[in-house]
Amino acid sequence: MPDRPVRAARPADLIALRSLLADACEPQDIPAPALLTEAVDRGLVRVAVSDGELVGCVAAEMPSPGHARLTVVAVRPESRRQGVAARLLDETLHALLHEPDEPPLISAMARTDQPALTQLLLGCGFIGTRVMRLPGLPVHYQYKSRVEYVDPEARHLVPVSAREQLAESLSPPDHAVTALVTLGGEPAFEIARFERDDPAALQSGEAAAGIAFSGSILAAITFLLGFAFTSTRFPDDVRLLLIGATFATVLSLIVYASASGELARIRSNSFGRIMKWGNVLSEYGGVLPFVISLPVTYAQASGDPWTTMVLAAVLSAAIGWYERSEFSIAHRFRRSRTELGLKLFTAASPTVGAALVAADATSWPWTIALMAALTARTWLYLFRRGAEADIAERRQWRIRA
């Protein structure tokens, strides 16, 4: 199969583009010359090239900053069924979804007598949501960038020729075309029902869970801090570590409460950013200092160095496993070698700290290094990384002045 590189169309390609569209499209599907020129100027046209000739193109337009509409998908007859259209569409989606601003809604229309285009859209992540009362009865398709769940028992098939039934099946807002199949030798749409989520309820539950979790950690840290102040043998540096953990956990509670207030007002779409602050502060300011200080507390209470070291080794292994698992906060951010080193030091901290305390050695250097490592990780995730994984893709409320 010859290589067909895909690139953005240039103004010099306009004549070749019009020739391609004339050869590959029905006259009514060809965009007006002014619209095509504007799309090329705005970088909304992708072309596939073979031996210096344009063999395919995908053109779009943006009637509003938050909505991109695919206007034409064209491939020369001799180049069809070779993956050209799918590659062009993938490149177009990638360019639109990686805009510096909020990614737009991407939609397209395909008539019921265009099975090839319908299969292409459905195969690239589009679903059909509405029947448009226009000539040819086109179906409105939109690209699904968010994960939604389909009820497996709420699906039915509608022959493409049954246009009135198709319009009725797509009238509920939670029904959509998800596949084009063959039924009795004829093409048919598979209509599925999507589970409707409530973003406000989901975010409210997330904020409530964060508040409950930080409150529980704060109670445990406060109890341990009380024990530290009543013990005359408890190291002062570890007391300082627990005081810092108490402050960070209280701060995370305030941040989670702020997230609840943002959710109630829905003014700035900053819920995900606020939750990131709460999650990072509660883990690296509260949870990890609390867990790492447990072997030190046990060493003071038991006076048995062997069981202390066994407990410390088990906690180090557990922290190391947690840091590598998908449950950790670190798993939600991009990784680097510096971060890997900080993870290893954090996991080893319970063993190192317990060994110093059990040997009656000075533990101040260890405490300072641990606080520096946790502070560095907090700074890294808050200021050097983007949103937590999957938060950027969650639904954003549209705010109008």
Side-chain angles (χ1 to χ4, degrees), residues 112 115 118-119 122 141 156-162 166 177-191:
T112 54
T118 300
Q119 285 279 26
L122 293 172
Y141 293 86
H156 62 279
L157 300 175
V158 177
V160 170
S161 58
L166 177 62
V177 175
T178 55
L180 183 65
V181 299
T182 301
L183 178 64
E186 300 293 334
F189 293 113
E190 182 182 71
I191 312 295

Side-chain angles (χ1 to χ4, degrees), residues 89-153:
L89 189 52
D90 286 341
E91 293 282 344
T92 302
L93 292 173
H94 182 272
L96 291 172
L97 294 174
H98 288 78
E99 289 285 335
D101 299 326
E102 180 184 344
L105 169 70
I106 305 174
S107 66
M109 288 202 301
R111 298 191 304 272
T112 54
D113 61 351
Q114 293 179 306
L117 179 57
T118 300
Q119 285 279 26
L120 173 66
L121 294 173
L122 293 172
C124 290
F126 286 76
I127 60 172
T129 58
R130 288 290 181 274
V131 172
M132 312 298 288
R133 304 292 184 176
L134 297 171
L137 204 70
V139 177
H140 175 272
Y141 293 86
Q142 69 181 63
Y143 181 75
K144 297 299 293 182
S145 58
R146 296 186 301 113
V147 174
E148 289 189 304
Y149 296 95
V150 174
D151 186 346
E153 297 182 356

Side-chain angles (χ1 to χ4, degrees), residues 198-206 263:
D198 184 351
L202 294 174
Q203 292 179 344
S204 178
E206 184 176 352
L263 180 61

Side-chain angles (χ1 to χ4, degrees), residues 24-320:
C25 299
E26 298 291 334
Q28 68 270 20
D29 297 330
I30 300 177
L35 293 177
L36 186 62
T37 301
E38 179 183 2
V40 170
D41 293 338
R42 297 181 62 181
L44 298 175
V45 180
R46 291 289 185 277
V47 295
V49 184
S50 178
D51 296 329
E53 180 185 21
L54 301 187
V55 296
C57 75
V58 170
E61 60 178 322
M62 296 194 70
S64 69
H67 194 157
R69 166 66 65 84
L70 302 181
T71 54
V72 66
V73 179
V75 178
R76 293 189 183 276
E78 62 272 14
S79 299
R80 292 174 183 170
R81 300 186 180 276
Q82 299 178 26
V84 177
R87 183 176 176 186
L88 281 166
L89 189 52
D90 286 341
E91 293 282 344
T92 302
L93 292 173
H94 182 272
L96 291 172
L97 294 174
H98 288 78
E99 289 285 335
D101 299 326
E102 180 184 344
L105 169 70
I106 305 174
S107 66
M109 288 202 301
R111 298 191 304 272
T112 54
D113 61 351
Q114 293 179 306
L117 179 57
T118 300
Q119 285 279 26
L120 173 66
L121 294 173
L122 293 172
C124 290
F126 286 76
I127 60 172
T129 58
R130 288 290 181 274
V131 172
M132 312 298 288
R133 304 292 184 176
L134 297 171
L137 204 70
V139 177
H140 175 272
Y141 293 86
Q142 69 181 63
Y143 181 75
K144 297 299 293 182
S145 58
R146 296 186 301 113
V147 174
E148 289 189 304
Y149 296 95
V150 174
D151 186 346
E153 297 182 356
R155 294 180 292 175
H156 62 279
L157 300 175
V158 177
V160 170
S161 58
R163 297 186 173 186
E164 292 185 4
Q165 179 59 52
L166 177 62
E168 180 182 341
S169 295
L170 292 181
S171 58
D174 56 351
H175 284 61
V177 175
T178 55
L180 183 65
V181 299
T182 301
L183 178 64
E186 300 293 334
F189 293 113
E190 182 182 71
I191 312 295
R193 184 177 71 84
F194 285 81
E195 296 288 347
R196 305 294 290 180
D197 59 358
D198 184 351
L202 294 174
Q203 292 179 344
S204 178
E206 184 176 352
I211 292 174
F213 176 76
S214 288
S216 302
I217 293 298
L218 180 61
I221 294 175
T222 304
F223 173 80
L224 192 60
L225 186 60
F227 174 82
F229 280 120
T230 58
S231 173
T232 57
R233 298 176 58 242
F234 209 94
D236 290 335
D237 54 323
V238 181
R239 290 194 185 103
L240 183 61
L241 179 65
L242 292 175
I243 291 173
T246 303
F247 172 77
T249 306
V250 170
L251 188 59
S252 72
L253 278 171
I254 297 173
V255 172
Y256 284 132
S258 177
S260 298
E262 157 65 19
L263 180 61
R265 290 184 292 271
I266 313 177
R267 291 180 178 173
S268 60
N269 276 327
S270 58
F271 177 81
R273 179 176 56 84
I274 296 174
M275 287 298 294
K276 183 180 82 166
W277 274 79
N279 294 338
V280 172
L281 287 173
S282 65
E283 174 142 331
Y284 300 103
V287 175
L288 287 177
F290 167 70
V291 173
I292 292 171
S293 63
L294 287 178
V296 176
T297 306
Y298 182 81
Q300 296 297 329
S302 68
D304 185 350
W306 293 105
T307 56
T308 296
M309 294 309 301
V310 170
L311 173 63
V314 170
L315 284 178
S316 289
I319 292 176

Side-chain angles (χ1 to χ4, degrees), residues 381-392:
Y381 297 135
L382 290 181
F383 301 106
R384 302 296 295 177
R385 296 291 187 266
E388 295 180 64
D390 88 358
I391 284 187

